[in-house]
Amino acid sequence: MSLAYLVDQVARLLFPPRCQVCGKLQDSPICEACWSEIEFISAPLCHCCGMPLDPLASGPPLCAECRSGRKFSGARAVGLHAGPLRQAIIRYKYHGRRRLAETFGEMLAELARAEGHDALPLASAAAVLPVPLHPARRKWRGFDQAELLCAPVAEALGIPVWTDALERVRDTTPQVDMRGKHRHENVRNAFEARKTYRLTGRSFILIDDVFTTGATISECARMLRKAGAADVYALTVARADPRPRHGPGHSSDTWGDEV
């Protein structure tokens, strides 16, 4: 019996594993009850950014924002940034619950496998790239939340992870309380492509935790394409809920603008 095994067993006795959302004692980071309440994204959705669309609406399969043009080639998310998934991401990102990295990574890997054989040609990408943190933010947080999610996606697609192709060169103000154009202005020129000789004519997959307005993803894609990249796709664990809010709650049957 190894020392590592004994240490693990003692740790489990002192700090038994719990659901990272509701706190229920159990092995999985997200329990079955919380998992069942996650709002996974399914068709119909915007063919570019992956935003859920009203199933009763008619018109082109693009949201209003994507009809105006995007810097990235396509984006998809596992679920809506609401309910248990939102709580899990908050605990992962701001409370250091790194156990969730494996769960989120597997979610993204499954999404990559599904999309790779469907809408987005992810299997032809040269590498998986995490949306980078500024070194000061990484030091404060203790880890890079996007980087920890990359390995399962790369393994699922059989491509490498490149952590040195894109760098955040400016420590921007957190985007969480910003809206619209302010998010785009905040991240403008915050990233730089590195080792650009590897980028020319190749496609890449960006990985991040949440897609809100797409400002960060768009700026990363802009810099990669400026350096010669052909296509830039994005996969995130969650994306902002497109349904309008009404007070503390929000409607459950009103979706983003499709027409």
Side-chain angles (χ1 to χ4, degrees):
M1 187 177 297
S2 70
L3 178 60
Y5 177 80
L6 288 173
V7 170
D8 180 66
Q9 293 304 302
V10 171
R12 290 173 70 87
L13 286 172
L14 295 176
F15 307 102
R18 297 176 180 270
C19 171
Q20 300 300 296
V21 178
C22 69
K24 178 182 177 181
L25 286 170
Q26 56 118 57
D27 284 336
S28 299
I30 301 178
C31 71
E32 289 186 10
C34 290
W35 188 273
S36 69
E37 294 179 10
I38 292 175
E39 297 183 74
F40 293 99
I41 294 174
S42 60
L45 45 78
C46 173
H47 284 195
C48 180
C49 76
M51 183 179 81
L53 299 174
D54 183 348
L56 300 179
S58 60
L62 292 173
C63 69
E65 183 95 15
C66 290
R67 291 201 297 272
S68 299
R70 294 279 201 177
K71 300 297 183 183
F72 53 82
S73 307
R76 296 291 185 269
V78 176
L80 295 180
H81 193 235
L85 186 57
R86 177 177 179 274
Q87 291 302 316
I89 290 172
I90 288 172
R91 287 180 169 85
Y92 170 61
K93 192 171 179 178
Y94 299 110
H95 300 280
R97 306 291 179 82
R98 298 192 207 186
R99 284 190 66 210
L100 286 160
E102 183 177 354
T103 298
F104 291 154
E106 287 304 320
M107 284 179 167
L108 288 170
E110 183 60 34
L111 178 63
R113 282 188 285 265
E115 286 294 331
H117 296 290
D118 188 8
L120 303 182
L122 302 181
S124 63
V128 174
L129 315 179
V131 171
L133 278 180
H134 188 272
R137 187 69 56 83
R138 180 169 184 159
K139 182 178 180 180
W140 173 80
R141 183 167 291 159
F143 67 102
D144 184 325
Q145 77 274 3
E147 187 175 321
L148 292 182
L149 306 179
C150 289
V153 178
E155 184 177 355
L157 297 175
I159 57 178
V161 177
W162 290 358
T163 60
D164 58 353
L166 195 62
E167 182 180 347
R168 189 184 290 255
V169 295
R170 185 163 56 82
D171 191 9
T172 55
T173 302
Q175 303 256 83
V176 63
D177 293 322
M178 294 184 180
R179 296 292 181 268
K181 66 178 183 179
H182 298 294
R183 284 176 173 259
H184 290 274
E185 292 169 357
N186 186 46
V187 295
R188 185 76 176 177
N189 296 320
F191 303 93
E192 286 186 4
R194 302 299 191 196
K195 299 183 180 180
T196 57
Y197 63 88
R198 299 188 299 172
L199 306 179
T200 303
R202 307 174 97 175
S203 299
F204 299 94
I205 303 169
L206 289 167
I207 299 293
D208 207 358
D209 54 342
V210 181
F211 181 112
T212 305
T213 63
T216 300
I217 294 294
S218 292
E219 184 61 13
C220 288
R222 185 179 77 85
M223 299 310 294
L224 288 168
R225 298 187 89 160
K226 183 179 178 180
D231 287 295
V232 181
Y233 302 97
L235 298 178
T236 61
V237 178
R239 67 162 296 133
D241 192 337
R243 300 170 295 192
R245 297 183 181 277
H246 302 284
H250 59 266
S251 169
S252 61
D253 58 2
T254 304
W255 294 88
D257 172 32
E258 180 182 8
V259 295

